[in-house]
Amino acid sequence: VLDSNNYSHDFDGMRSQLVLELLYNCGLRVSELIGLSFKDVDYSRSEVKVLGKGNKERSIPIGGNLVSLIKNFSVIRNNEGFNSMPNDKLIVSDKGTDAYPMLISRIVNKVLKRYANVSKTNPHVLRHTFATHLLNNGSDINAIKDLLGHESLASTSVYMHNSIERLKDVYKNSHPRK
């Protein structure tokens, strides 16, 4: 889904890729994605500053590929006539206005519908997948809580269900006395 070959290299394609990358790689809520400005991206530290629920700010690390994608999208955006000034929103509509929830939902739905094995195509699925993948790969639940911007661990524990199912499979397939 996140392979750059799946997207055109024009404004629409790069915006779609950036939306999916930010939602999945950072575990963002739609409102957090919409609120991102160019000034929130720290290229030298490879992180993005996010304003979450209750106006709580958190920094999320981003990989080099995402940093490059943001830079490349900025160039494409400027070529479309939408200047990318520091206070400008990172994601904009086709007309250069601020993004809105339905736009993000349409982008995510359009991309995810291309894949037959995906049953849910809403933006929150990418946030959920972010947390589940981190948990399944051994991340500390408290770190995931912080990355997601959750106030309490109880909110994050929702993602443990998938991991417990995975652990049961591992046990069933690996333990000599199953």
Side-chain angles (χ1 to χ4, degrees), residues 90-157:
L90 188 59
I91 306 297
V92 294
S93 72
D94 294 338
K95 295 178 178 156
T97 59
D98 291 355
Y100 47 93
M102 187 53 73
L103 172 65
I104 303 304
S105 290
R106 279 198 304 259
I107 289 169
V108 171
N109 186 40
K110 180 181 174 185
V111 173
L112 293 183
K113 280 221 186 245
R114 295 181 201 157
Y115 301 92
N117 62 343
V118 176
S119 59
K120 294 182 181 178
T121 60
N122 63 61
H124 192 74
V125 149
L126 296 168
R127 179 173 165 84
H128 189 88
T129 303
F130 164 82
T132 301
H133 285 170
L134 287 175
L135 199 53
N136 285 347
N137 286 301
S139 294
D140 175 67
I141 188 95
N142 284 304
I144 297 169
K145 174 183 91 59
D146 293 341
L147 287 168
L148 291 172
H150 285 160
E151 183 69 27
S152 77
L153 199 53
S155 300
T156 311
S157 65

Side-chain angles (χ1 to χ4, degrees), residues 1-35:
V1 175
L2 301 180
D3 181 4
S4 62
N5 294 326
N6 292 332
Y7 303 92
S8 60
H9 295 286
D10 59 3
F11 173 80
D12 188 53
M14 290 195 67
R15 180 185 60 190
S16 294
Q17 183 181 4
L18 185 57
V19 163
L20 270 83
E21 291 281 352
L22 285 165
L23 289 170
Y24 172 71
N25 285 317
C26 300
L28 299 180
R29 298 174 178 100
V30 170
S31 60
E32 294 168 343
L33 173 68
I34 290 170

Side-chain angles (χ1 to χ4, degrees), residues 157-173:
S157 65
V158 170
Y159 302 104
M160 290 189 69
H161 172 71
N162 288 342
S163 293
I164 290 169
E165 292 305 313
R166 183 175 170 274
L167 289 173
K168 286 179 184 177
D169 287 342
V170 167
Y171 178 84
K172 181 179 164 190
N173 294 324

Side-chain angles (χ1 to χ4, degrees), residues 20-79:
L20 270 83
E21 291 281 352
L22 285 165
L23 289 170
Y24 172 71
N25 285 317
C26 300
L28 299 180
R29 298 174 178 100
V30 170
S31 60
E32 294 168 343
L33 173 68
I34 290 170
L36 285 180
S37 298
F38 281 96
K39 69 176 174 42
D40 297 325
V41 181
D42 187 333
Y43 298 103
S44 63
R45 295 177 54 136
S46 294
E47 59 186 39
V48 64
K49 184 173 49 174
V50 176
L51 190 61
K53 284 185 176 179
N55 285 331
K56 292 191 177 167
E57 198 174 276
R58 68 187 190 279
S59 290
I60 301 173
I62 56 176
N65 289 342
L66 187 49
V67 169
S68 295
L69 180 60
I70 293 168
K71 287 179 180 177
N72 292 339
F73 179 68
S74 176
V75 170
I76 295 289
R77 215 185 110 148
N78 287 340
N79 290 343

